Every structure is written in C-alpha cells, then in structure tokens.
Amino acid sequence: MFGFIRPFKPELRVREVERFQAVYCGLCHELKRKYGRLQTYFLSYDMAFFSLVIDAVCEPDFGTQRCRCDASPFRKKNVCCSSPSLSYAADVSVLLTYHKVNDSIQDERGIKRLAARFLRWFLQHDYQKASQAHPQLNQTMCDCLSELHAIEQAQTASLDRPADTFARLLAAAVPASYPSNIKRVLSQMFYHVGRWIYLLDACTDLEEDFKSNSYNPIRLRFSLQTPSLSSVRTTLEHTLERSLLDIHTACQLLTLYRDQGLIENIIDLGLPIITRQVLDGTYHANGGHETHGSL
C-alpha cells in the first residue's frame, strides 16, 4: 500500500514499540515463507496496521519468537509467530501489491511503465496463488480498480467518487470468515482508512501530477492553477478529519483482546499527525528512515 499509517512513537511504551515491530517483522517473515523474499520489499506500515487490527479482535494469541532475518542478520529480534491473521494479511498484501503495479502500468509512461511491466512478470505467480486462495476478494479488487480507472479516464472532478471506490476495495479486505458483527465494524473502519489513504495520497502526488498532467481529484475539484494546497487546506483538513473520526468511532465498538493502547495510539495520534504533515508539506515517507521497518 502507501505507508502512511504508523504509530506516534514518542507516546508509546517501550513494549508497544517492540510489539509493533514484532507484528511488522512477523508479517515480513510470513510473506517470505509463503511467497518468497521479493514480496517482503513491498511490505508497508499500512499492512502491519491491518494485520495488528484483524489479529486483535481474535482471542487466541500465537505469541512471539526470537529469530534473525535479512534486515537483522546478526541480532535476533522478537517476531510474531505464524497465525491465521498473519497468513491472511500476507495474502492481502500480495494482492494489493500486484494491483498497484497493474495500476502503474496504466498510469505511467516510458521507462516507468516498462519497469512496472517487468515487475508484474515477477509477481504473476504469487498473485495467482493469492487470488486462487481468495477469488471473491480478488474480483472485488479488480472491479473497484476498473471503476477507479474509468473515473480517472473521465477526469471526474470529485473527491468522494474516487475515494469511495478505493475505500470499498479496502473494506472488502476484512476477513469474510469473521462473525458478522465484527466484520461489519471492521469494514466500516477500513472503509474510512481507505478513504483517508486515497485522499492523502492525492495530496502528496499533487506536484508530480501537475508536472505529468495526470489525474488528480484535488486539482480538478478545486480547479487549482498551481500545485499548492494552501488555498484548500482547511477544506481538505475537514474531510480528512471526518474519516479519522469515523475510524476512531469504529475502533471504540470493537472488543480488542490485545494491543488496544497501540492501536489507539496509531488512530488517535499517528494518523492526525501524518495528516497535518502532508497538508503542511513536511511529510517524509517512512518517517525519514531508510531502514526496512524502522520506526
């Protein structure tokens, strides 16, 4: 996905920092176990958050183990043990990665499109494996992305229509096997996470989209003449805060068996801070870190 979702580290306890790292590393190990090393390079904080939440609503705790990895070959780290939620999150990550590469093929030109085609060839086998495991989810993703592509081709001057399409894609990723009451709340929660991600990504891409004359809903909706958010910042802040409030409300309706403080830190502190950084122009991907998975 996009890597916007991460905790606000200064307000975390040491054990919560270690827990988030263990979930991230556990998902990385699960991707490597099921699909190979290549998929681990596409892992994001967003998928770590997804894995954290869908695991927290399940009562069994599969614990952690100490092990080494490519990113830490000499020092063992705490890593979440393989579990159904980690396995499912790994499948979703593979599907999202493949569809994101496909989207790049449609949107990019020249060498970037060629590179995306080359990468898709390497990802094809993993995608087929994940899509066979979750055919309905994959079909929903395909349908939503086709709808999103049509919206972009039509140069639709709306924030809600493209954001809603991407939000429905992410809401569909909630495990179908969960009880209906939990699934309903999680779907609402991740719908607004998806909406927030899409609009935030449009904000970060504004300058590049101006240069390449690519589709950007913010540019079209507000008829912007320059790649600056200053004139529309208040409006964007309001619509993004609406989604953040709905994410918070959905979270309060969930029974979390673990990691409540960590999840609330991400939702109530991490997401608002990233929102302000993007709107201020001070946002840096991965928090300015270059180390794989570092907070």
Side-chain angles (χ1 to χ4, degrees):
M1 285 157 60
F2 299 89
F4 290 124
I5 301 175
R6 56 175 177 258
F8 181 55
K9 188 176 178 180
E11 291 294 330
L12 287 178
R13 297 179 176 90
V14 173
R15 67 174 180 269
E16 290 172 331
V17 174
E18 293 176 349
R19 172 63 178 173
F20 185 80
Q21 190 71 55
V23 172
Y24 184 96
C25 292
L27 184 52
C28 186
H29 278 263
E30 191 71 14
L31 281 166
K32 184 178 178 181
R33 183 184 71 82
K34 293 186 72 173
Y35 295 103
R37 182 176 281 103
L38 179 61
Q39 288 291 342
T40 66
Y41 293 104
F42 303 102
L43 178 58
S44 70
Y45 289 139
D46 299 352
M47 286 310 303
F49 173 72
F50 178 80
S51 180
L52 186 73
V53 173
I54 66 170
D55 180 72
V57 298
C58 299
E59 192 167 359
D61 184 355
F62 289 82
T64 61
Q65 59 185 341
R66 299 280 293 176
C67 58
R68 298 181 178 90
C69 65
D70 294 346
S72 182
F74 304 111
R75 183 172 63 89
K76 288 186 176 182
K77 301 171 69 174
N78 277 331
V79 175
C80 286
C81 297
S82 181
S83 67
S85 58
L86 275 180
S87 178
Y88 179 78
D91 295 340
V92 173
S93 179
V94 168
L95 291 174
L96 288 171
T97 295
Y98 183 84
H99 287 302
K100 192 171 189 301
V101 170
N102 248 353
D103 187 58
S104 296
I105 292 173
Q106 292 181 329
D107 294 343
E108 301 293 351
R109 298 291 183 270
I111 190 66
K112 288 186 177 180
R113 173 179 281 186
L114 183 63
R117 286 183 182 276
F118 186 68
L119 179 58
R120 183 176 64 177
W121 184 82
F122 280 101
L123 298 174
Q124 187 72 36
H125 178 267
D126 295 343
Y127 166 69
Q128 289 175 350
K129 180 180 176 181
S131 62
Q132 286 171 6
H134 308 285
Q136 185 173 353
L137 172 58
N138 181 60
Q139 187 59 54
T140 300
M141 288 183 175
C142 290
D143 292 343
C144 286
L145 290 171
S146 294
E147 183 180 336
L148 186 59
H149 183 64
I151 290 171
E152 292 173 352
Q153 290 294 105
Q155 294 289 296
T156 305
S158 168
L159 297 182
D160 289 333
R161 285 192 60 194
D164 168 75
T165 305
F166 184 80
R168 285 188 280 112
L169 181 155
L170 201 57
V174 172
S177 60
Y178 281 13
S180 59
N181 59 324
I182 297 175
K183 184 181 175 183
R184 183 170 60 253
V185 177
L186 285 176
S187 295
Q188 180 71 2
M189 179 178 176
F190 281 105
Y191 173 91
H192 285 285
V193 169
R195 184 179 186 276
W196 178 82
I197 287 175
Y198 182 86
L199 292 176
L200 218 61
D201 185 59
C203 291
T204 59
D205 286 348
L206 185 61
E207 185 172 352
E208 184 177 337
D209 290 339
F210 256 89
K211 291 178 181 177
S212 61
N213 198 30
S214 300
Y215 175 78
N216 188 294
I218 295 172
R219 175 188 180 185
L220 294 174
R221 169 63 180 81
F222 298 107
S223 302
L224 297 180
Q225 302 302 311
T226 60
S228 172
L229 295 172
S230 57
S231 63
V232 296
R233 176 182 169 178
T234 300
T235 302
L236 288 172
E237 197 166 24
H238 287 162
T239 191
L240 289 165
E241 285 177 350
R242 179 69 252 182
S243 282
L244 293 180
L245 178 59
D246 288 332
I247 295 167
H248 169 86
T249 301
C251 182
Q252 297 305 303
L253 296 174
L254 293 170
T255 298
L256 302 176
Y257 292 99
R258 66 194 68 85
D259 302 322
Q260 182 169 346
L262 175 55
I263 291 170
E264 289 178 350
N265 172 283
I266 294 171
I267 292 172
D268 297 337
L269 296 176
L271 302 191
I273 287 171
I274 295 297
T275 301
R276 288 196 296 272
Q277 288 177 349
V278 169
L279 295 179
D280 289 344
T282 59
Y283 171 77
H284 297 286
N286 200 27
H289 296 288
E290 297 301 328
T291 305
H292 182 57
S294 60
L295 275 177

